[in-house]
Amino acid sequence: MKLGVSTYSLYQALKSGEMSIMDVIDWIADQGGEHVEIVPLGYDLPGNFALADAIREKAQARGIDISNYAIGANFLTETEEEYQQEIVRVKGEVDLAARLGVKKMRHDVARSEDLSIRNFNANLDRLAEACRQIADYANQFGIVTSVENHGFFVQHSERVQALIHAVDRANFRTTLDVGNFVCVDEDSVAAVTNNLPYASIVHVKDFYIRPSNQNPGEGWFKSTYGTYLRGAIVAQGDLNIPEILRVVKSSGYDGYISLEFEGMEECKRGTLIGLQNIRRIWDEIN
C-alpha cells in the first residue's frame, strides 16, 4: 500500500493562491506522502503539457509517485455531435495523463437531473460505449481508466459495477471512494466490500452525517434522500473508517490509497491529521 494525497485536499490553498501545485507536491512529500493524485482544480492543467512535464519532474525530484489523474466528463449530451466531441476531449486528457507518466486515470461519465434507475438503464449502453472507446485509446499508453462513485447518477456500487461490466475492458475499473456511497444513502462498509475487486485506486474521506429532519445549517449538503452531510477530517466524522480500512486491507488490496479532505477546517491541518489517522489505523489492523 502506498499512502498519498489528492491535490483536491489542498484546494482551499490552491484557490486562494497561498500554494501553487509545486508547493502542494512539496508539502505532500514533506508530510511523508508516497504519492500525489493530480486533480486539476485550483490550477490550469488541461492542455498545458509544459505544466504536466513540470509536475512529473517535480514529483520525481521529491521521490513520490503520481498515482492518478482525475478529470470531469459528461457523456449524457443533447446531441450526437456533443457526444463525439466529449469523447475526443477526454482522449486529449488521456494524452496529458501519459505526459504526466501516470498509469491510472479517472474520468467522470454522466450528470443528470433524473437520477432514476430507469434513466440509468436507458443510457447505460451509450455511456459504456464512450468509456470503451477511451479505455481502448488509453490502453496504448498502458493506462487504466476508471469511473468514480460520485456525481449521484453513477454513484451506487451496483451502478458502478453495471457500467464496468458493460464496458467490458480489462483496463476500465473504478476509483473507489469509501465515503461517497453515503451521498446516495448506501452503507459504506457494504458498498466498499462490494466494489473492492474492481478498484484501481482507493480514495479515503469522511463525512459528518445528520438526519434529514435536523438541519445543521450552513456548510452541509443533502444526500439523494435528504440526509445532511458535511466533509470531515478522516476518522473524526461518522463513517466507520477503522472497519472500512480493515475491509480494504484484509482484501489484499496493495495499491494506492489517496486521502481526500473536503472539510471546513484549514486544509493543510485537516489533510495532515487525516493522513496521520489513516497511517495509524492501517498499521493497527492485524
Side-chain angles (χ1 to χ4, degrees):
M1 188 273 285
K2 286 192 173 184
L3 178 59
V5 177
S6 165
T7 62
Y8 173 61
S9 301
L10 284 302
Y11 176 65
Q12 290 176 14
L14 284 162
K15 184 180 180 181
S16 70
E18 175 192 347
M19 301 177 79
S20 69
I21 182 58
M22 301 305 170
D23 294 332
V24 168
I25 294 170
D26 274 331
W27 187 90
I28 293 169
D30 290 343
Q31 312 316 312
E34 297 171 282
H35 70 88
V36 56
E37 180 181 16
I38 300 298
V39 182
L41 292 173
Y43 53 103
D44 188 17
L45 181 57
N48 191 341
F49 285 84
L51 181 55
D53 290 342
I55 289 171
R56 185 188 68 247
E57 292 163 5
K58 182 67 167 181
Q60 289 172 345
R62 291 308 311 266
I64 64 175
D65 296 346
I66 303 178
S67 55
N68 193 39
Y69 179 47
I71 64 157
N74 180 24
F75 302 112
L76 279 187
T77 58
E78 293 185 4
T79 68
E80 178 65 20
E81 181 181 8
E82 291 171 333
Y83 175 75
Q84 295 298 334
Q85 287 174 347
E86 185 71 339
I87 292 172
V88 169
R89 184 189 68 81
V90 176
K91 286 180 178 179
E93 295 279 36
V94 173
D95 293 335
L96 191 141
R99 194 70 169 257
L100 284 167
V102 301
K103 295 302 179 183
K104 300 179 189 299
M105 174 182 164
R106 183 218 84 186
H107 62 80
D108 290 338
V109 175
R111 297 185 300 272
S112 177
E113 294 296 319
D114 181 355
L115 301 177
S116 69
I117 189 65
R118 178 192 295 271
N119 190 38
F120 174 78
N121 287 337
N123 286 285
L124 178 58
D125 288 347
R126 186 173 181 79
L127 300 180
E129 175 57 25
C131 295
R132 192 178 300 122
Q133 288 187 36
I134 293 160
D136 288 345
Y137 183 80
N139 195 48
Q140 67 182 306
F141 303 109
I143 292 174
V144 174
T145 57
S146 64
V147 59
E148 185 174 347
N149 53 306
H150 77 163
F152 293 97
F153 190 59
V154 190
Q155 193 153 345
H156 315 69
S157 61
E158 294 290 350
R159 291 193 189 188
V160 169
Q161 279 197 45
L163 179 63
I164 291 170
H165 292 309
V167 174
D168 194 25
R169 291 293 187 271
N171 69 320
F172 183 75
R173 298 173 66 79
T174 183
T175 290
L176 177 57
D177 189 301
V178 306
N180 281 346
F181 293 111
V182 298
C183 301
V184 289
D185 303 280
E186 191 171 6
D187 178 77
S188 288
V189 174
V192 168
T193 303
N194 195 25
N195 277 14
L196 258 176
Y198 307 96
S200 62
I201 184 172
V202 172
H203 284 176
V204 176
K205 70 155 59 91
D206 204 348
F207 285 112
Y208 297 111
I209 304 173
R210 297 294 182 268
S212 60
N213 64 345
Q214 297 178 19
N215 185 347
E218 184 180 351
W220 297 70
F221 68 97
K222 289 185 177 183
S223 73
T224 299
Y225 295 108
T227 298
Y228 286 98
L229 303 170
R230 177 161 76 82
I233 294 172
V234 170
Q236 294 190 1
D238 294 319
L239 298 186
N240 190 346
I241 295 297
E243 177 61 11
I244 289 169
L245 290 178
R246 187 198 65 78
V247 167
V248 174
K249 189 171 184 178
S250 64
S251 75
Y253 178 83
D254 195 33
Y256 294 114
I257 289 183
S258 186
L259 167 67
E260 279 196 340
F261 169 72
E262 53 185 40
M264 295 176 69
E265 298 85 353
E266 193 280 323
C267 63
K268 296 190 297 299
R269 181 70 171 160
T271 299
L272 179 57
I273 294 171
L275 197 66
Q276 293 169 338
N277 284 342
I278 295 171
R279 186 177 289 117
R280 173 180 50 81
I281 293 168
W282 186 271
D283 289 344
E284 290 172 352
I285 297 168
N286 295 322

